[in-house]
Amino acid sequence: MAVFPIVREIEAERLALAIQSDLGTLETIQANTSSVKEIAAASEIVTDAAANALREDDDQIHNARNVAVQARLIADQLLILRNFAGGAALFARRALGPSAKQVGIELGELGMKSWEEIKDNLPAGVGIASRALPVVALIGLLAAISPPVAGIAGAAAAFRPLSRALKQILGSANSSTRERAPADAKAKSAKKGRGRK
């Protein structure tokens, strides 16, 4: 898709303009982005390539000659983070099935062509180590990155749909766990009862 790099550049420029007017906003975004990078680096289900991609612009951001250049590099890093978190969210939505239907609506609100490109290549492009990974591990990753993503969303409105999507997934995961618990307990009880005879 030849237009993809151009669209991504436009997106990054738009995001940079939205965040560069206030140093406090940039600091908030950087602090929360650092949290996501640390979580991803420590996670067993995130590939090294994905963890490295999240840190790709770190040195340039640190050494940027002015706020405008720094904001542009941070915006580029935010797009990588958004695609990573959004891809993992979509993968979790598929794993959770109908209980996470609302997540698709939230992710659809991102409405960006570069997001469509990433979405078309999921789950391989998510940066998750295995397509057959335990859903519990994926939900754990999303639960860990949800607070810093919410922090970024507070400073950059473009992240609000993603933040809502993560909350929806975690809510769906909690609901399905609560629904499964009584059924699991009943099955264990029936199994014990058969063992006594």
Side-chain angles (χ1 to χ4, degrees):
M1 185 177 191
V3 77
F4 172 61
I6 297 165
V7 171
R8 193 178 190 289
E9 287 298 313
I10 292 168
E11 252 189 281
E13 287 295 338
R14 186 179 300 145
L15 187 51
L17 288 170
I19 64 175
Q20 74 183 21
S21 60
D22 178 25
L23 286 176
T25 297
L26 288 177
E27 288 170 6
T28 298
I29 288 170
Q30 282 187 281
N32 285 291
T33 301
S34 291
S35 296
V36 173
K37 288 184 280 190
E38 288 168 17
I39 292 161
S43 174
E44 292 180 9
I45 64 167
V46 177
T47 63
D48 287 342
N52 290 337
L54 290 168
R55 293 191 299 260
E56 192 174 280
D57 295 327
D58 282 358
D59 289 340
Q60 289 178 294
I61 290 168
H62 181 71
N63 298 318
R65 66 180 184 270
N66 59 48
V67 173
V69 172
Q70 187 181 50
R72 177 59 179 80
L73 290 164
I74 290 170
D76 192 57
Q77 194 169 68
L78 283 174
L79 293 181
I80 294 167
L81 188 152
R82 183 206 63 203
N83 290 340
F84 166 74
L90 189 60
F91 194 23
R93 176 191 174 232
R94 289 176 181 168
L96 289 170
S99 66
K101 187 177 180 182
Q102 179 66 24
V103 174
I105 296 166
E106 299 293 355
L107 290 174
E109 282 183 30
L110 290 171
M112 302 167 200
K113 288 185 181 170
S114 63
W115 168 243
E116 290 298 322
E117 177 72 12
I118 296 297
K119 197 164 64 171
D120 289 345
N121 292 306
L122 293 176
V126 172
I128 299 298
S130 167
R131 292 183 188 209
L133 68 121
V135 176
V136 172
L138 181 56
I139 296 303
L141 173 67
L142 295 178
I145 67 171
S146 183
V149 168
I152 294 168
F159 267 67
R160 288 178 191 155
L162 177 59
S163 182
R164 287 194 301 265
L166 294 181
K167 287 176 185 166
Q168 288 286 341
I169 284 173
L170 296 172
S172 295
N174 287 337
S175 295
S176 65
T177 301
R178 282 194 299 271
E179 287 166 12
R180 247 183 276 132
D184 289 349
K186 202 179 280 186
K188 281 182 185 176
S189 176
K191 204 173 192 179
K192 280 184 183 176
R194 283 196 302 269
R196 289 194 196 113
K197 290 180 183 177

